[in-house]
PDB file of all heavy atoms in Angstrom:
ATOM      1  N   THR A 242       6.787   0.071   6.011  1.00 86.00           N
ATOM      2  CA  THR A 242       7.312   0.530   7.244  1.00 86.00           C
ATOM      3  C   THR A 242       6.521  -0.034   8.435  1.00 86.00           C
ATOM      4  O   THR A 242       5.594  -0.833   8.242  1.00 86.00           O
ATOM      5  CB  THR A 242       7.181   2.075   7.389  1.00 86.00           C
ATOM      6  OG1 THR A 242       5.816   2.464   7.336  1.00 86.00           O
ATOM      7  CG2 THR A 242       7.878   2.756   6.145  1.00 86.00           C
ATOM      8  N   LYS A 243       6.960   0.311   9.662  1.00 85.00           N
ATOM      9  CA  LYS A 243       6.281  -0.251  10.874  1.00 85.00           C
ATOM     10  C   LYS A 243       4.878   0.446  10.978  1.00 85.00           C
ATOM     11  O   LYS A 243       4.034  -0.058  11.830  1.00 85.00           O
ATOM     12  CB  LYS A 243       7.083   0.091  12.106  1.00 85.00           C
ATOM     13  CG  LYS A 243       8.350  -0.788  12.195  1.00 85.00           C
ATOM     14  CD  LYS A 243       9.067  -0.520  13.477  1.00 85.00           C
ATOM     15  CE  LYS A 243      10.312  -1.370  13.584  1.00 85.00           C
ATOM     16  NZ  LYS A 243      11.039  -1.154  14.896  1.00 85.00           N
ATOM     17  N   LYS A 244       4.580   1.461  10.171  1.00 91.00           N
ATOM     18  CA  LYS A 244       3.318   2.111  10.281  1.00 91.00           C
ATOM     19  C   LYS A 244       2.700   2.043   8.852  1.00 91.00           C
ATOM     20  O   LYS A 244       2.772   2.984   8.079  1.00 91.00           O
ATOM     21  CB  LYS A 244       3.381   3.502  10.778  1.00 91.00           C
ATOM     22  CG  LYS A 244       3.858   3.639  12.181  1.00 91.00           C
ATOM     23  CD  LYS A 244       3.838   5.067  12.698  1.00 91.00           C
ATOM     24  CE  LYS A 244       4.201   5.115  14.189  1.00 91.00           C
ATOM     25  NZ  LYS A 244       4.156   6.475  14.740  1.00 91.00           N
ATOM     26  N   PRO A 245       2.198   0.813   8.445  1.00 91.00           N
ATOM     27  CA  PRO A 245       1.773   0.677   7.044  1.00 91.00           C
ATOM     28  C   PRO A 245       0.642   1.635   6.675  1.00 91.00           C
ATOM     29  O   PRO A 245       0.527   1.948   5.519  1.00 91.00           O
ATOM     30  CB  PRO A 245       1.282  -0.792   7.043  1.00 91.00           C
ATOM     31  CG  PRO A 245       1.080  -1.117   8.444  1.00 91.00           C
ATOM     32  CD  PRO A 245       2.039  -0.332   9.286  1.00 91.00           C
ATOM     33  N   TYR A 246      -0.226   2.020   7.602  1.00 94.00           N
ATOM     34  CA  TYR A 246      -1.284   2.971   7.320  1.00 94.00           C
ATOM     35  C   TYR A 246      -0.743   4.304   6.767  1.00 94.00           C
ATOM     36  O   TYR A 246      -1.458   4.918   5.940  1.00 94.00           O
ATOM     37  CB  TYR A 246      -2.229   3.163   8.524  1.00 94.00           C
ATOM     38  CG  TYR A 246      -1.496   3.486   9.804  1.00 94.00           C
ATOM     39  CD1 TYR A 246      -1.298   4.742  10.226  1.00 94.00           C
ATOM     40  CD2 TYR A 246      -1.062   2.400  10.620  1.00 94.00           C
ATOM     41  CE1 TYR A 246      -0.616   5.048  11.418  1.00 94.00           C
ATOM     42  CE2 TYR A 246      -0.346   2.703  11.774  1.00 94.00           C
ATOM     43  CZ  TYR A 246      -0.140   4.021  12.189  1.00 94.00           C
ATOM     44  OH  TYR A 246       0.504   4.291  13.368  1.00 94.00           O
ATOM     45  N   LEU A 247       0.383   4.732   7.234  1.00 95.00           N
ATOM     46  CA  LEU A 247       1.005   5.946   6.751  1.00 95.00           C
ATOM     47  C   LEU A 247       1.607   5.694   5.373  1.00 95.00           C
ATOM     48  O   LEU A 247       1.548   6.621   4.428  1.00 95.00           O
ATOM     49  CB  LEU A 247       2.042   6.503   7.693  1.00 95.00           C
ATOM     50  CG  LEU A 247       1.537   6.852   9.105  1.00 95.00           C
ATOM     51  CD1 LEU A 247       2.707   7.439   9.942  1.00 95.00           C
ATOM     52  CD2 LEU A 247       0.455   7.936   8.981  1.00 95.00           C
ATOM     53  N   LYS A 248       2.236   4.566   5.165  1.00 95.00           N
ATOM     54  CA  LYS A 248       2.851   4.260   3.862  1.00 95.00           C
ATOM     55  C   LYS A 248       1.735   4.197   2.772  1.00 95.00           C
ATOM     56  O   LYS A 248       1.905   4.647   1.701  1.00 95.00           O
ATOM     57  CB  LYS A 248       3.522   2.928   3.963  1.00 95.00           C
ATOM     58  CG  LYS A 248       4.364   2.586   2.705  1.00 95.00           C
ATOM     59  CD  LYS A 248       5.459   3.516   2.463  1.00 95.00           C
ATOM     60  CE  LYS A 248       6.329   3.143   1.303  1.00 95.00           C
ATOM     61  NZ  LYS A 248       7.479   4.119   1.026  1.00 95.00           N
ATOM     62  N   PHE A 249       0.584   3.674   3.185  1.00 96.00           N
ATOM     63  CA  PHE A 249      -0.527   3.563   2.223  1.00 96.00           C
ATOM     64  C   PHE A 249      -1.013   4.925   1.769  1.00 96.00           C
ATOM     65  O   PHE A 249      -1.429   5.086   0.648  1.00 96.00           O
ATOM     66  CB  PHE A 249      -1.661   2.683   2.799  1.00 96.00           C
ATOM     67  CG  PHE A 249      -1.339   1.302   2.960  1.00 96.00           C
ATOM     68  CD1 PHE A 249      -1.935   0.492   3.915  1.00 96.00           C
ATOM     69  CD2 PHE A 249      -0.445   0.611   2.075  1.00 96.00           C
ATOM     70  CE1 PHE A 249      -1.645  -0.853   4.108  1.00 96.00           C
ATOM     71  CE2 PHE A 249      -0.133  -0.771   2.215  1.00 96.00           C
ATOM     72  CZ  PHE A 249      -0.779  -1.491   3.233  1.00 96.00           C
ATOM     73  N   ILE A 250      -1.016   5.868   2.766  1.00 97.00           N
ATOM     74  CA  ILE A 250      -1.454   7.246   2.362  1.00 97.00           C
ATOM     75  C   ILE A 250      -0.474   7.833   1.356  1.00 97.00           C
ATOM     76  O   ILE A 250      -0.867   8.494   0.372  1.00 97.00           O
ATOM     77  CB  ILE A 250      -1.442   8.116   3.686  1.00 97.00           C
ATOM     78  CG1 ILE A 250      -2.626   7.646   4.574  1.00 97.00           C
ATOM     79  CG2 ILE A 250      -1.611   9.566   3.311  1.00 97.00           C
ATOM     80  CD1 ILE A 250      -2.658   8.356   5.899  1.00 97.00           C
ATOM     81  N   GLU A 251       0.838   7.598   1.628  1.00 96.00           N
ATOM     82  CA  GLU A 251       1.874   8.068   0.681  1.00 96.00           C
ATOM     83  C   GLU A 251       1.636   7.515  -0.709  1.00 96.00           C
ATOM     84  O   GLU A 251       1.704   8.176  -1.742  1.00 96.00           O
ATOM     85  CB  GLU A 251       3.255   7.700   1.242  1.00 96.00           C
ATOM     86  CG  GLU A 251       4.400   8.050   0.340  1.00 96.00           C
ATOM     87  CD  GLU A 251       5.748   7.556   0.863  1.00 96.00           C
ATOM     88  OE1 GLU A 251       5.874   7.434   2.053  1.00 96.00           O
ATOM     89  OE2 GLU A 251       6.645   7.234   0.103  1.00 96.00           O
ATOM     90  N   LEU A 252       1.385   6.192  -0.814  1.00 97.00           N
ATOM     91  CA  LEU A 252       1.173   5.524  -2.055  1.00 97.00           C
ATOM     92  C   LEU A 252      -0.118   6.008  -2.815  1.00 97.00           C
ATOM     93  O   LEU A 252      -0.232   6.077  -3.922  1.00 97.00           O
ATOM     94  CB  LEU A 252       1.161   3.986  -1.940  1.00 97.00           C
ATOM     95  CG  LEU A 252       2.469   3.346  -1.571  1.00 97.00           C
ATOM     96  CD1 LEU A 252       2.240   1.897  -1.224  1.00 97.00           C
ATOM     97  CD2 LEU A 252       3.455   3.475  -2.675  1.00 97.00           C
ATOM     98  N   SER A 253      -1.161   6.306  -1.978  1.00 96.00           N
ATOM     99  CA  SER A 253      -2.387   6.686  -2.512  1.00 96.00           C
ATOM    100  C   SER A 253      -2.289   8.062  -3.275  1.00 96.00           C
ATOM    101  O   SER A 253      -3.068   8.355  -4.164  1.00 96.00           O
ATOM    102  CB  SER A 253      -3.471   6.877  -1.456  1.00 96.00           C
ATOM    103  OG  SER A 253      -3.223   7.906  -0.590  1.00 96.00           O
ATOM    104  N   LYS A 254      -1.275   8.881  -2.800  1.00 96.00           N
ATOM    105  CA  LYS A 254      -1.098  10.155  -3.537  1.00 96.00           C
ATOM    106  C   LYS A 254      -0.627  10.001  -4.917  1.00 96.00           C
ATOM    107  O   LYS A 254      -0.891  10.827  -5.838  1.00 96.00           O
ATOM    108  CB  LYS A 254      -0.063  10.956  -2.737  1.00 96.00           C
ATOM    109  CG  LYS A 254      -0.581  11.408  -1.319  1.00 96.00           C
ATOM    110  CD  LYS A 254       0.495  12.178  -0.578  1.00 96.00           C
ATOM    111  CE  LYS A 254      -0.036  12.586   0.811  1.00 96.00           C
ATOM    112  NZ  LYS A 254       1.037  13.263   1.652  1.00 96.00           N
ATOM    113  N   LYS A 255      -0.036   8.870  -5.195  1.00 96.00           N
ATOM    114  CA  LYS A 255       0.513   8.561  -6.600  1.00 96.00           C
ATOM    115  C   LYS A 255      -0.508   7.714  -7.385  1.00 96.00           C
ATOM    116  O   LYS A 255      -0.692   7.959  -8.575  1.00 96.00           O
ATOM    117  CB  LYS A 255       1.835   7.833  -6.508  1.00 96.00           C
ATOM    118  CG  LYS A 255       2.398   7.477  -7.837  1.00 96.00           C
ATOM    119  CD  LYS A 255       3.791   6.823  -7.712  1.00 96.00           C
ATOM    120  CE  LYS A 255       4.387   6.523  -9.076  1.00 96.00           C
ATOM    121  NZ  LYS A 255       5.692   5.836  -8.921  1.00 96.00           N
ATOM    122  N   TYR A 256      -1.163   6.740  -6.649  1.00 96.00           N
ATOM    123  CA  TYR A 256      -1.960   5.791  -7.390  1.00 96.00           C
ATOM    124  C   TYR A 256      -3.449   5.991  -7.221  1.00 96.00           C
ATOM    125  O   TYR A 256      -4.241   5.276  -7.852  1.00 96.00           O
ATOM    126  CB  TYR A 256      -1.590   4.369  -6.988  1.00 96.00           C
ATOM    127  CG  TYR A 256      -0.133   4.024  -7.339  1.00 96.00           C
ATOM    128  CD1 TYR A 256       0.830   3.951  -6.372  1.00 96.00           C
ATOM    129  CD2 TYR A 256       0.264   3.692  -8.652  1.00 96.00           C
ATOM    130  CE1 TYR A 256       2.199   3.655  -6.659  1.00 96.00           C
ATOM    131  CE2 TYR A 256       1.523   3.400  -8.981  1.00 96.00           C
ATOM    132  CZ  TYR A 256       2.501   3.340  -8.004  1.00 96.00           C
ATOM    133  OH  TYR A 256       3.823   3.060  -8.312  1.00 96.00           O
ATOM    134  N   GLY A 257      -3.895   6.885  -6.321  1.00 96.00           N
ATOM    135  CA  GLY A 257      -5.278   7.090  -6.127  1.00 96.00           C
ATOM    136  C   GLY A 257      -5.769   6.416  -4.851  1.00 96.00           C
ATOM    137  O   GLY A 257      -5.126   5.676  -4.213  1.00 96.00           O
ATOM    138  N   ASP A 258      -7.014   6.649  -4.445  1.00 96.00           N
ATOM    139  CA  ASP A 258      -7.589   6.188  -3.257  1.00 96.00           C
ATOM    140  C   ASP A 258      -7.905   4.701  -3.284  1.00 96.00           C
ATOM    141  O   ASP A 258      -8.203   4.079  -2.201  1.00 96.00           O
ATOM    142  CB  ASP A 258      -8.814   7.003  -2.817  1.00 96.00           C
ATOM    143  CG  ASP A 258      -9.954   6.902  -3.771  1.00 96.00           C
ATOM    144  OD1 ASP A 258      -9.679   6.604  -4.954  1.00 96.00           O
ATOM    145  OD2 ASP A 258     -11.095   7.148  -3.396  1.00 96.00           O
ATOM    146  N   ILE A 259      -7.933   4.114  -4.446  1.00 97.00           N
ATOM    147  CA  ILE A 259      -8.022   2.588  -4.614  1.00 97.00           C
ATOM    148  C   ILE A 259      -6.837   2.191  -5.411  1.00 97.00           C
ATOM    149  O   ILE A 259      -6.718   2.499  -6.558  1.00 97.00           O
ATOM    150  CB  ILE A 259      -9.318   2.247  -5.330  1.00 97.00           C
ATOM    151  CG1 ILE A 259     -10.594   2.790  -4.683  1.00 97.00           C
ATOM    152  CG2 ILE A 259      -9.427   0.751  -5.428  1.00 97.00           C
ATOM    153  CD1 ILE A 259     -11.829   2.542  -5.427  1.00 97.00           C
ATOM    154  N   PHE A 260      -6.009   1.409  -4.734  1.00 97.00           N
ATOM    155  CA  PHE A 260      -4.830   0.899  -5.457  1.00 97.00           C
ATOM    156  C   PHE A 260      -4.528  -0.563  -5.039  1.00 97.00           C
ATOM    157  O   PHE A 260      -5.035  -1.005  -4.006  1.00 97.00           O
ATOM    158  CB  PHE A 260      -3.573   1.759  -5.265  1.00 97.00           C
ATOM    159  CG  PHE A 260      -3.006   1.798  -3.906  1.00 97.00           C
ATOM    160  CD1 PHE A 260      -2.083   0.851  -3.467  1.00 97.00           C
ATOM    161  CD2 PHE A 260      -3.322   2.839  -3.031  1.00 97.00           C
ATOM    162  CE1 PHE A 260      -1.566   0.855  -2.243  1.00 97.00           C
ATOM    163  CE2 PHE A 260      -2.755   2.866  -1.755  1.00 97.00           C
ATOM    164  CZ  PHE A 260      -1.916   1.856  -1.372  1.00 97.00           C
ATOM    165  N   SER A 261      -3.795  -1.210  -5.861  1.00 95.00           N
ATOM    166  CA  SER A 261      -3.445  -2.609  -5.581  1.00 95.00           C
ATOM    167  C   SER A 261      -1.889  -2.699  -5.347  1.00 95.00           C
ATOM    168  O   SER A 261      -1.217  -1.830  -5.817  1.00 95.00           O
ATOM    169  CB  SER A 261      -3.795  -3.557  -6.787  1.00 95.00           C
ATOM    170  OG  SER A 261      -3.193  -3.048  -7.945  1.00 95.00           O
ATOM    171  N   ILE A 262      -1.494  -3.641  -4.613  1.00 93.00           N
ATOM    172  CA  ILE A 262      -0.114  -3.706  -4.263  1.00 93.00           C
ATOM    173  C   ILE A 262       0.245  -5.237  -4.033  1.00 93.00           C
ATOM    174  O   ILE A 262      -0.548  -5.968  -3.496  1.00 93.00           O
ATOM    175  CB  ILE A 262       0.110  -2.987  -2.921  1.00 93.00           C
ATOM    176  CG1 ILE A 262       1.616  -2.906  -2.589  1.00 93.00           C
ATOM    177  CG2 ILE A 262      -0.721  -3.511  -1.778  1.00 93.00           C
ATOM    178  CD1 ILE A 262       1.905  -1.971  -1.448  1.00 93.00           C
ATOM    179  N   ASN A 263       1.421  -5.557  -4.507  1.00 87.00           N
ATOM    180  CA  ASN A 263       1.942  -6.902  -4.398  1.00 87.00           C
ATOM    181  C   ASN A 263       2.581  -7.005  -3.004  1.00 87.00           C
ATOM    182  O   ASN A 263       3.579  -6.377  -2.773  1.00 87.00           O
ATOM    183  CB  ASN A 263       2.999  -7.362  -5.434  1.00 87.00           C
ATOM    184  CG  ASN A 263       2.310  -7.752  -6.685  1.00 87.00           C
ATOM    185  OD1 ASN A 263       1.125  -8.067  -6.706  1.00 87.00           O
ATOM    186  ND2 ASN A 263       3.009  -7.745  -7.818  1.00 87.00           N
ATOM    187  N   LEU A 264       2.112  -7.864  -2.137  1.00 81.00           N
ATOM    188  CA  LEU A 264       2.671  -8.171  -0.833  1.00 81.00           C
ATOM    189  C   LEU A 264       2.997  -9.650  -0.809  1.00 81.00           C
ATOM    190  O   LEU A 264       2.144 -10.477  -0.674  1.00 81.00           O
ATOM    191  CB  LEU A 264       1.779  -7.755   0.308  1.00 81.00           C
ATOM    192  CG  LEU A 264       1.448  -6.265   0.388  1.00 81.00           C
ATOM    193  CD1 LEU A 264       0.419  -5.991   1.448  1.00 81.00           C
ATOM    194  CD2 LEU A 264       2.688  -5.418   0.591  1.00 81.00           C
ATOM    195  N   GLY A 265       4.320  -9.986  -1.003  1.00 72.00           N
ATOM    196  CA  GLY A 265       4.651 -11.370  -1.255  1.00 72.00           C
ATOM    197  C   GLY A 265       4.134 -11.798  -2.561  1.00 72.00           C
ATOM    198  O   GLY A 265       4.248 -11.101  -3.603  1.00 72.00           O
ATOM    199  N   TYR A 266       3.512 -12.899  -2.682  1.00 72.00           N
ATOM    200  CA  TYR A 266       2.981 -13.422  -3.928  1.00 72.00           C
ATOM    201  C   TYR A 266       1.525 -13.145  -4.160  1.00 72.00           C
ATOM    202  O   TYR A 266       0.951 -13.618  -5.112  1.00 72.00           O
ATOM    203  CB  TYR A 266       3.260 -14.948  -4.044  1.00 72.00           C
ATOM    204  CG  TYR A 266       2.598 -15.704  -2.936  1.00 72.00           C
ATOM    205  CD1 TYR A 266       1.311 -16.209  -3.035  1.00 72.00           C
ATOM    206  CD2 TYR A 266       3.276 -16.005  -1.756  1.00 72.00           C
ATOM    207  CE1 TYR A 266       0.733 -16.936  -1.996  1.00 72.00           C
ATOM    208  CE2 TYR A 266       2.713 -16.674  -0.725  1.00 72.00           C
ATOM    209  CZ  TYR A 266       1.444 -17.208  -0.859  1.00 72.00           C
ATOM    210  OH  TYR A 266       0.871 -17.870   0.204  1.00 72.00           O
ATOM    211  N   ARG A 267       0.958 -12.307  -3.294  1.00 79.00           N
ATOM    212  CA  ARG A 267      -0.461 -12.029  -3.430  1.00 79.00           C
ATOM    213  C   ARG A 267      -0.663 -10.460  -3.738  1.00 79.00           C
ATOM    214  O   ARG A 267       0.117  -9.659  -3.339  1.00 79.00           O
ATOM    215  CB  ARG A 267      -1.253 -12.283  -2.118  1.00 79.00           C
ATOM    216  CG  ARG A 267      -1.343 -13.779  -1.818  1.00 79.00           C
ATOM    217  CD  ARG A 267      -2.260 -14.038  -0.596  1.00 79.00           C
ATOM    218  NE  ARG A 267      -2.486 -15.406  -0.375  1.00 79.00           N
ATOM    219  CZ  ARG A 267      -1.885 -16.128   0.509  1.00 79.00           C
ATOM    220  NH1 ARG A 267      -0.874 -15.564   1.225  1.00 79.00           N
ATOM    221  NH2 ARG A 267      -2.134 -17.361   0.715  1.00 79.00           N
ATOM    222  N   ARG A 268      -1.706 -10.266  -4.492  1.00 86.00           N
ATOM    223  CA  ARG A 268      -2.087  -8.838  -4.852  1.00 86.00           C
ATOM    224  C   ARG A 268      -3.151  -8.458  -3.858  1.00 86.00           C
ATOM    225  O   ARG A 268      -4.151  -9.135  -3.670  1.00 86.00           O
ATOM    226  CB  ARG A 268      -2.616  -8.797  -6.218  1.00 86.00           C
ATOM    227  CG  ARG A 268      -2.647  -7.373  -6.807  1.00 86.00           C
ATOM    228  CD  ARG A 268      -1.263  -7.043  -7.357  1.00 86.00           C
ATOM    229  NE  ARG A 268      -1.322  -5.756  -8.069  1.00 86.00           N
ATOM    230  CZ  ARG A 268      -0.266  -4.913  -8.179  1.00 86.00           C
ATOM    231  NH1 ARG A 268       0.811  -5.284  -7.639  1.00 86.00           N
ATOM    232  NH2 ARG A 268      -0.349  -3.812  -8.801  1.00 86.00           N
ATOM    233  N   TRP A 269      -3.095  -7.245  -3.204  1.00 91.00           N
ATOM    234  CA  TRP A 269      -3.967  -6.736  -2.302  1.00 91.00           C
ATOM    235  C   TRP A 269      -4.613  -5.520  -2.812  1.00 91.00           C
ATOM    236  O   TRP A 269      -3.995  -4.764  -3.577  1.00 91.00           O
ATOM    237  CB  TRP A 269      -3.291  -6.448  -0.934  1.00 91.00           C
ATOM    238  CG  TRP A 269      -2.701  -7.695  -0.398  1.00 91.00           C
ATOM    239  CD1 TRP A 269      -1.757  -8.501  -0.844  1.00 91.00           C
ATOM    240  CD2 TRP A 269      -3.015  -8.194   0.951  1.00 91.00           C
ATOM    241  NE1 TRP A 269      -1.419  -9.505   0.015  1.00 91.00           N
ATOM    242  CE2 TRP A 269      -2.166  -9.357   1.099  1.00 91.00           C
ATOM    243  CE3 TRP A 269      -3.851  -7.824   1.947  1.00 91.00           C
ATOM    244  CZ2 TRP A 269      -2.169 -10.106   2.287  1.00 91.00           C
ATOM    245  CZ3 TRP A 269      -3.899  -8.575   3.118  1.00 91.00           C
ATOM    246  CH2 TRP A 269      -3.054  -9.743   3.293  1.00 91.00           C
TER     247      TRP A 269
END
């Protein structure tokens, strides 16, 4: 979304406070 910091909070509820994510062809 336009507010990625809020999206990351949403994802952290499922994957934990340290998670990885594919953005394009890179893993972050």
Side-chain angles (χ1 to χ4, degrees):
T242 65
K243 291 183 178 180
K244 295 184 177 181
Y246 48 93
L247 298 182
K248 187 65 175 180
F249 291 150
I250 293 176
E251 178 185 326
L252 291 172
S253 70
K254 293 177 181 178
K255 180 177 181 180
Y256 297 104
D258 63 336
I259 302 174
F260 66 84
S261 57
I262 185 171
N263 278 343
L264 299 175
Y266 57 89
R267 291 187 175 97
R268 197 82 173 154
W269 299 59

